[in-house]
Amino acid sequence: MIIIITNTNLNTGTETSARADKRAFDELRNLKIEAGVLERADGSAYLEMGGNKVLAAVYGPRELFVRRLMQPNRAVLRCKYNMAPFSVDDRKRPGPDRRSVEISKITSDALSPAVFLEKFPRSTIDVYIEVLEAEGGTRCAGITAASVALADAGIPMRDMVVACAAGKSDGNVVLDLSEVEDKEGEADLPIAMMPRTGEITLLQMDGDLTEEEFQQALDLAIGGCKKINEEQKKAIKNRYGE
Amino acid sequence: MVHIVPEIIKESVTNLVKNGERTDGRAFDEYREISLETGIIEKAEGSARVKIGKTQIVIGTKPQIGTPFGDTPNVGVLMTNTELLPMAAPNFESGPPDENSVELSRVTDRCIREGKVVDLEKLCIVEGEKVWMVFLDLHVIDYDGNLMDAAVLGSVAALMNTKIPTTKIENDEIVLDYENMMPLPINEKALMCTFAKIDGELIIDPSLEEEEIMGARLSIGMTEDGNICAMQKGGAQPLDREKILKVVSIAKMKTAELRTHLP
C-alpha cells in the first residue's frame, strides 16, 4: 500500500498580520481591467484581481435558436461561467458542474437588470466567462469583467454592473476575500450592484454574521464596488477614448 | 450551427491565390505574426499563451500521480484535452467536445507523443503502481484559423515550462519534495506545420477566411532532425503526390523557423 504525503508547509500566515496578505480591512486586491482583448467576440474584457485571471466575451444581440427560451418582447441574456482545468490547484474536470451552473444563473440575473433587453425582442445576448486562474472571488470578478465586455460590445445599458465580496475572516469584517480568507473565514457575502442608482442585483451569503456585521460587510462591499466601477470605466475609456 | 460563407468571399480569396496572392498580403509559405509567453498561470505547473495572427490559445499542464496502464507499467501518462470555447467564435457551442475538438486534441497528442517530446519513461515512480500523469489542457479563446500549429507550439512550450516535485521512496511511501522542483524530461521539440489547399495550391498557416473556403488541409509534424512524426489530412478534396512531397520539404524549413519562438 502506497500512501502519498507531501512535505510542504502550506503557510497561511494569518498570525503575523491581521490579514494574510497584509491588506487593510477595506482594501481591494490589485486590480487590472482591459477591454477588447479578443478578435472574434463582439465584446470582450480581461480582468486580473489578486491572483484571479478572468476573461469575459459577449456575442449578440443575435438570433436565438432555442425556440423554447425565446421571449416575444425582449432578449434573453444567457451566461456561461466556466473554469479552466488548470485554474485551480487540483485539476478541475472540464465541463459544467453544479457550482458553475448556479454561478452562470446568478450572473445572468445580476447583469440582466442593467441591459435594455426590451430593445431586442426574440434574440439572445450570450456572455461567456472563463476563469483562467482562480484565487477567491471569481464570480464577482466574472460579473465585473462581463459588464465591461457588454459595454465593449456596444450593448445599451442603464449602468455598468459591478460586483465585489465582503465577509468575515479571523473575527474581522473585511473587503474582497482572498482564497485563504474565503476558505478559512467565517462568512462570505458577494454582491453586485448598479453603482449609479445603488440597486443591488446579486446577493449571496454563506457563513455566520450578526445583524451588525452584516450591515458592516454590506457597506464595505458597496464601497468596494464603487472603487472597482472606476476601474471599469477607465478600461472602456482606454479603449475608446474619453 | 451551420456557418455560411458568402460565394463572393470564396471567389475573391480563390482569385487572389490564382494570382499568387493572399488576402493579408502574405507569401504562400509565410506565417502570420507569432507570439508566445510561458508561465502565465501560477496555479498551473506549466502554462503558455500562444498567438498565431489573431488565433489565441491558453494552455496549462497539471501533473498528478496515478496508476499506469496495464500494458505500459513503467511509462508515465500524457492526456491532451481541448476546449473550443464558445467565446472563441460565434459558431462554437458549449457542451461536450465535438469532432473538431477531439481531432485537435488527438492530432496534438500524436505529434507530441510520436515526436517523443516528453520522455514518459522517466515519469515512472514505482513500476506498475505509480506514475506521473500529465494533463495538458488547451483552452482556445480566439479562433482565427490554424488551431493545429498553435496548439502544438503552445503545448510544447507549456510542457517545457512544467515543473514537477521530485519524488523519493521512503518505507514504501512516495514523498513529494516541493522544495526541489524539476522540469519535465523534455528530449525533443516536435512542431507542426499546416497547409490549406485552395485552387490546387497549398498555402501555409491558413487564416480563418482561407480555412473557411479551403478544399483540403494537410498538417505535418516534424522533429528537430526533420523527420516526420505525425500527419493529418482534413477536408473533402484530394491531394496529389507531388504537392504533398513539396510541402513536406517546406514544413522542414518552417518547423525549424517555428522552433525559434520556443524559449
Side-chain angles (χ1 to χ4, degrees):
Chain A
M1 177 61 196
I2 287 171
I3 313 155
I4 297 165
I5 49 171
T6 66
N7 68 350
T8 44
N9 279 326
L10 284 175
N11 187 5
T12 53
T14 36
E15 63 278 278
T16 48
S17 153
R19 290 185 83 172
D21 49 11
K22 304 204 164 48
R23 274 186 289 153
F25 297 130
D26 59 349
E27 190 179 342
L28 294 166
R29 286 172 286 181
N30 286 338
L31 177 65
K32 189 184 113 182
I33 310 176
E34 198 184 336
V37 292
L38 297 179
E39 175 70 12
R40 296 295 300 279
D42 297 322
S44 59
Y46 175 71
L47 180 146
E48 280 185 19
M49 189 165 187
N52 290 312
K53 295 189 173 81
V54 179
L55 201 52
V58 170
Y59 282 92
R62 62 180 177 180
E63 192 177 345
L64 177 57
F65 294 101
V66 190
R67 291 292 288 262
R68 67 191 156 77
L69 296 178
M70 195 182 278
Q71 297 286 335
N73 55 342
R74 63 180 184 88
V76 291
L77 190 136
R78 296 188 294 181
C79 291
K80 277 268 178 328
Y81 167 100
N82 183 42
M83 287 181 101
F86 46 79
S87 64
V88 280
D89 287 323
D90 292 322
R91 178 176 184 264
K92 184 206 166 284
R93 280 186 55 183
D97 51 17
R98 290 164 62 94
R99 175 177 173 276
S100 65
V101 171
E102 184 207 342
I103 294 179
S104 300
K105 179 185 179 290
I106 55 119
T107 301
S108 164
D109 292 345
L111 296 171
S112 292
V115 182
F116 287 101
L117 294 172
E118 60 276 18
K119 285 192 184 293
F120 311 102
R122 306 167 70 83
S123 60
T124 179
I125 296 168
D126 292 321
V127 177
Y128 300 110
I129 296 166
E130 286 298 326
V131 179
L132 298 177
E133 187 160 10
E135 202 251 327
T138 55
R139 73 193 65 195
C140 293
I143 291 167
T144 302
S147 314
V148 178
L150 281 164
D152 182 48
I155 288 168
M157 290 192 287
R158 293 173 180 86
D159 203 347
M160 211 154 26
V161 176
V162 55
C164 184
K168 192 178 165 192
S169 167
D170 251 357
N172 300 308
V173 177
V174 293
L175 178 66
D176 187 24
L177 296 143
S178 69
E179 186 175 34
V180 178
E181 289 171 327
D182 185 19
K183 275 191 188 140
E184 295 178 4
E186 296 91 276
D188 181 20
L189 174 77
I191 68 157
M193 65 184 289
M194 292 192 276
R196 225 161 39 83
T197 57
E199 290 165 294
I200 287 169
T201 64
L202 170 129
L203 194 139
Q204 291 186 300
M205 200 307 259
D206 63 75
D208 179 68
L209 289 176
T210 64
E211 204 180 324
E212 288 77 39
E213 284 168 343
F214 171 72
Q215 195 188 329
Q216 244 181 310
L218 187 62
D219 289 341
L220 265 184
I222 290 171
C225 281
K226 286 183 176 158
K227 283 187 217 159
I228 298 171
N229 182 239
E230 295 304 314
E231 294 301 315
Q232 287 180 306
K233 288 188 214 159
K234 258 189 226 163
I236 291 295
K237 281 177 186 166
N238 282 344
R239 176 142 164 83
Y240 293 104
E242 290 289 324
Chain B
M1 201 167 93
V2 182
H3 184 65
I4 300 158
V5 185
E7 215 39 56
I8 190 159
I9 290 180
K10 194 170 177 173
E11 229 168 86
S12 76
V13 177
T14 313
N15 283 336
L16 276 171
V17 171
K18 266 197 181 101
N19 298 324
E21 291 171 60
R22 295 174 75 169
T23 46
D24 47 13
R26 280 185 289 156
F28 284 180
D29 63 350
E30 190 181 347
Y31 267 90
R32 290 169 289 177
E33 202 182 308
I34 295 169
S35 79
L36 185 61
E37 293 162 77
T38 53
I40 54 155
I41 308 286
E42 279 154 49
K43 286 209 173 162
E45 280 77 356
S47 58
R49 187 224 309 261
V50 60
K51 282 190 203 176
I52 296 186
K54 295 277 167 57
T55 287
Q56 201 179 151
I57 309 180
V58 178
I59 297 143
T61 59
K62 280 267 149 204
Q64 285 172 9
I65 290 178
T67 315
F69 295 117
D71 53 344
T72 52
N74 62 338
V75 179
V77 178
L78 178 72
M79 306 258 239
T80 310
N81 177 60
T82 313
E83 297 281 313
L84 296 180
L85 300 176
M87 73 164 45
N91 54 323
F92 286 1
E93 282 168 41
S94 49
D98 66 354
E99 54 186 31
N100 293 314
S101 171
V102 171
E103 185 192 28
L104 182 59
S105 302
R106 284 184 53 88
V107 173
T108 306
D109 184 87
R110 202 176 307 156
C111 186
I112 288 168
R113 189 178 301 277
E114 299 303 323
K116 302 195 172 51
V117 170
V118 184
D119 190 344
L120 291 174
E121 284 181 21
K122 286 195 185 146
L123 295 181
C124 176
I125 303 167
V126 180
E127 187 173 330
E129 298 211 37
K130 292 289 178 233
V131 294
W132 282 109
M133 307 175 82
V134 181
F135 287 87
L136 182 65
D137 284 290
L138 288 88
H139 239 44
V140 177
I141 60 172
D142 218 348
Y143 169 54
D144 190 32
N146 197 10
L147 288 174
M148 294 243 179
D149 298 2
V152 177
L153 181 63
S155 296
V156 172
L159 289 168
M160 288 169 69
N161 180 246
T162 303
K163 301 254 188 320
I164 53 172
T166 45
T167 52
K168 268 186 299 200
I169 297 168
E170 284 173 9
N171 312 325
D172 264 6
E173 286 177 344
I174 297 175
V175 180
L176 301 180
D177 184 359
Y178 282 91
E179 308 277 293
N180 292 304
M181 302 290 279
M182 60 169 198
L184 277 185
I186 303 284
N187 50 15
E188 175 61 63
K189 292 164 190 171
L191 292 178
M192 189 158 257
C193 229
T194 296
F195 299 84
K197 183 188 175 191
I198 295 170
D199 193 49
E201 293 290 336
L202 283 168
I203 56 177
I204 210 168
D205 180 29
S207 66
L208 178 72
E209 264 180 328
E210 290 163 342
E211 263 189 15
E212 280 176 335
I213 65 136
M214 70 186 174
R217 180 200 67 208
L218 184 64
S219 299
I220 302 162
M222 274 197 180
T223 56
E224 281 166 285
D225 54 16
N227 284 355
I228 305 166
C229 61
M231 292 180 99
Q232 182 87 344
K233 177 191 173 289
Q237 279 182 21
L239 298 171
D240 61 73
R241 178 179 176 276
E242 272 63 43
K243 282 271 158 53
I244 295 170
L245 294 177
K246 188 182 155 200
V247 294
V248 165
S249 69
I250 297 175
K252 200 167 180 169
M253 275 154 32
K254 289 291 156 179
T255 47
E257 197 182 295
L258 281 180
R259 213 163 278 124
T260 61
H261 291 278
L262 288 172

